[in-house]
Amino acid sequence: TDVGRWVVRVRSGLKAVRHENLHPAAAEIPDVARRGLGGAAAATAHLLLELARSGGHRALSAVMLPACVLLWIVATLAGCYWLHRPLTTPEAALPGISEMGIAPPARGVYRSGSATVGLLMACTVRLYSMLLLPHLADSNAAARAPESTNMGYVAALGVAVQGVFTLETSLSPQTLLHFAGAIAFVLGTMWHADASNALFADLGDSALALSPAARIAIGLRRVCSEGLPVMLMLVPAGLEAWQWATSNQLKGGRLQNIISAAQWAVVLNFGVFYCTYACDFWVAIEAS
């Protein structure tokens, strides 16, 4: 404005704010959060070094690896949500996941968190092939073992790619790479899960078959991979089709909120899927 103020849209409407009262969202990050992030990064690096030294044959570090996949997903989403919140529209209860990587400072958290999740997922798939596939060699679906491993790596690569190449407001090569990475993550995980579930359907008399914890983990992976993801992806599409067919517009950005909630649910659902491998790793190492 002419009097040296910025006009800012907030939840209650338009506000005129002095320029000296404007500051980046990153300045609001408390020191404890910065130290916590640094500590989490250091602990994750130590975990990966321990896995490299032990070859994945120490139960505690092997169990912590898939658990860290879920922890980093939750931490990344929470951090991005907090930093991106001032940029969301008032009617948006939950921003889309890709949307949170468009602008700084949330973009930095999105990139570093996604790259870390991709690395942890790749290491989890590596342990999966080393510790679990030997117990499934006699399965009727044993021929799908390489398929399950390779598609797990595709999913891990997809997470990293969509995180490093964040969404832009225009259709650019970076945006296309972002969407390609997101598709690789979803389809790679579902393909890996389908092959993995087939392998675990015939455990014979292995240690995994005798462990209640492993059987619970196997059942939970089936729930996370067979029906729930498809339902979560179809619900927004069905609502959009219903809205178009009936000309009944959802008010207040409700459709966008539903789509965003479905995205969050799908990602967290897949995080739980990979986290359940912790039970299988523990049983396999203890039985060896």
Side-chain angles (χ1 to χ4, degrees):
T1 64
D2 295 336
V3 294
R5 295 174 180 262
W6 287 79
V7 177
V8 181
R9 183 183 299 276
V10 296
R11 287 186 175 275
S12 57
L14 297 177
K15 297 290 184 181
V17 183
R18 294 180 182 275
H19 68 87
E20 60 266 23
N21 293 331
L22 292 173
H23 47 82
E28 292 294 321
I29 302 177
D31 289 338
V32 64
R34 298 177 188 272
R35 289 194 295 268
L37 180 60
T44 302
H46 178 75
L47 173 63
L48 294 177
L49 289 173
E50 169 60 23
L51 286 167
R53 285 195 297 264
S54 65
H57 294 291
R58 290 184 180 176
L60 182 59
S61 57
V63 167
M64 285 301 300
L65 178 62
C68 283
V69 173
L70 179 59
L71 290 175
W72 269 98
I73 289 175
V74 172
T76 300
L77 291 178
C80 289
Y81 173 82
W82 186 45
L83 293 173
H84 184 75
R85 187 62 178 166
L87 302 179
T88 58
T89 57
E91 63 272 11
L94 199 64
I97 290 180
S98 295
E99 174 190 337
M100 296 190 297
I102 292 178
R107 183 168 59 199
V109 176
Y110 190 94
R111 282 176 169 165
S112 58
S114 297
T116 303
V117 170
L119 176 60
L120 293 173
M121 280 178 56
C123 293
T124 299
V125 174
R126 173 63 176 168
L127 278 191
Y128 164 87
S129 65
M130 292 172 52
L131 300 178
L132 302 185
L133 290 187
H135 292 271
L136 307 173
D138 296 329
S139 171
N140 293 330
R144 300 193 66 182
E147 176 187 336
S148 68
T149 302
N150 293 336
M151 296 314 297
Y153 287 133
V154 168
L157 179 62
V159 170
V161 168
Q162 67 83 36
V164 173
F165 300 99
T166 54
L167 185 68
E168 293 184 327
T169 55
S170 60
L171 187 61
S172 63
Q174 178 170 313
T175 297
L176 294 177
L177 284 171
H178 173 80
F179 285 130
I183 292 171
F185 166 61
V186 173
L187 296 185
T189 296
M190 295 185 70
W191 200 334
H192 162 79
D194 182 65
S196 175
N197 291 341
L199 287 164
F200 280 92
D202 181 19
L203 294 174
D205 57 353
S206 65
L208 295 172
L210 302 176
S211 169
R215 291 200 301 269
I216 292 173
I218 293 168
L220 185 56
R221 281 199 296 276
R222 288 190 177 278
V223 172
C224 291
S225 61
E226 291 186 347
L228 190 57
V230 176
M231 182 188 70
L232 290 172
M233 288 185 286
L234 287 180
V235 166
L239 285 174
E240 191 168 5
W242 172 79
Q243 180 178 266
W244 174 81
T246 61
S247 299
N248 186 5
Q249 298 294 322
L250 295 177
K251 297 180 180 180
R254 291 179 184 175
L255 179 60
Q256 183 58 46
N257 286 334
I258 293 172
I259 292 174
S260 298
Q263 291 177 359
W264 282 64
V266 167
V267 171
L268 291 172
N269 171 76
F270 286 154
V272 172
F273 173 89
Y274 286 104
C275 182
T276 59
Y277 280 127
C279 297
D280 304 77
F281 291 168
W282 178 273
V283 173
I285 292 175
E286 291 297 307
S288 61

